[in-house]
């Protein structure tokens, strides 16, 4: 049996990253835990100080297929390249013409940049003028790729 899992992202601004990744992935704010009407009720029950309520945010796949993602405010800034990063599969796959995949990547890059991301580097297929994938950074500089 597989172990249930989630992803937690350390960050400076939990709400900012939750909003970015929610829009990027088509996720929604995560519902409060079972037995609680709101996250506020959960935090009060667990005696979380009110000044820490903005230190965490969570999003989830509305269809239940993808993992839940939590964002946790930490004091330390990101200092090195992520060793683990998400690849957003937006081009349709290598079975499609490279030109079409490149157009889809460019459109998604524009959308994500409008949300606060930035392109770090374009990677082209060997011997091709077309972009194969893009290395990007979210609003806090965390690495991800669109492929």
């Amino acid at each position: 049996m597989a172990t249930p899992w989630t992803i937690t992202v350390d960050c400076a601004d939990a709400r900012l990253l939750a909003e970015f990744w929610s829009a990027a992935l088509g996720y929604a704010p995560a519902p409060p835990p079972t037995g609680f009407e709101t996250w506020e009720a959960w935090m009060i029950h667990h005696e979380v100080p009110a000044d820490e309520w903005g230190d965490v945010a969570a999003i989830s796949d509305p269809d239940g297929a993808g993992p839940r993602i939590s964002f946790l405010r930490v004091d330390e800034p990101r200092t090195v390249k992520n060793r683990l990063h998400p690849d957003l599969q937006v081009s349709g796959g290598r079975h499609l013409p490279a030109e079409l995949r490149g157009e889809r990547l460019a459109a998604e890059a524009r959308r994500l940049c409008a949300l606060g991301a930035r392109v770090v580097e374009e990677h082209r297929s060997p011997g091709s003028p077309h972009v194969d994938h893009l290395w990007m950074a979210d609003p806090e500089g965390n690495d991800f790729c669109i492929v």
Side-chain angles (χ1 to χ4, degrees):
M1 176 168 76
T3 300
W5 64 284
T6 65
I7 296 171
T8 300
V9 179
D10 289 348
C11 59
D13 187 332
R15 292 181 196 267
L16 172 74
L17 282 193
E19 289 173 8
F20 170 80
W21 283 105
S22 184
L25 299 173
Y27 271 40
T34 302
F36 295 91
E37 289 291 318
T38 66
W39 277 103
E40 182 178 307
W42 182 90
M43 288 186 260
I44 291 168
H45 176 82
H46 290 284
E47 300 178 357
V48 176
D51 64 336
E52 295 179 13
W53 290 5
D55 290 355
V56 66
I59 61 174
S60 60
D61 179 351
D63 298 326
R68 177 181 150 145
I69 304 172
S70 298
F71 301 90
L72 179 63
R73 192 195 70 71
V74 298
D75 292 330
E76 322 67 58
R78 177 181 171 264
T79 58
V80 297
K81 183 180 183 304
N82 300 41
R83 295 289 302 227
L84 176 70
H85 67 268
D87 283 351
L88 308 185
Q89 300 172 342
V90 301
S91 72
R94 290 201 167 111
H95 64 284
L96 296 176
E99 184 175 356
L100 174 59
R101 291 192 343 260
E103 290 169 1
R104 289 179 175 178
L105 289 170
E108 185 66 0
R110 285 190 299 274
R111 184 181 82 83
L112 294 170
C113 287
L115 294 171
R118 66 180 171 82
V119 175
V120 176
E121 191 172 288
E122 288 186 355
H123 291 264
R124 299 189 182 281
S125 300
S128 171
H130 303 289
V131 174
D132 178 66
H133 67 280
L134 294 170
W135 170 15
M136 299 190 70
D138 74 11
E140 288 196 3
N142 298 301
D143 299 313
F144 69 99
C145 291
I146 57 173
V147 299

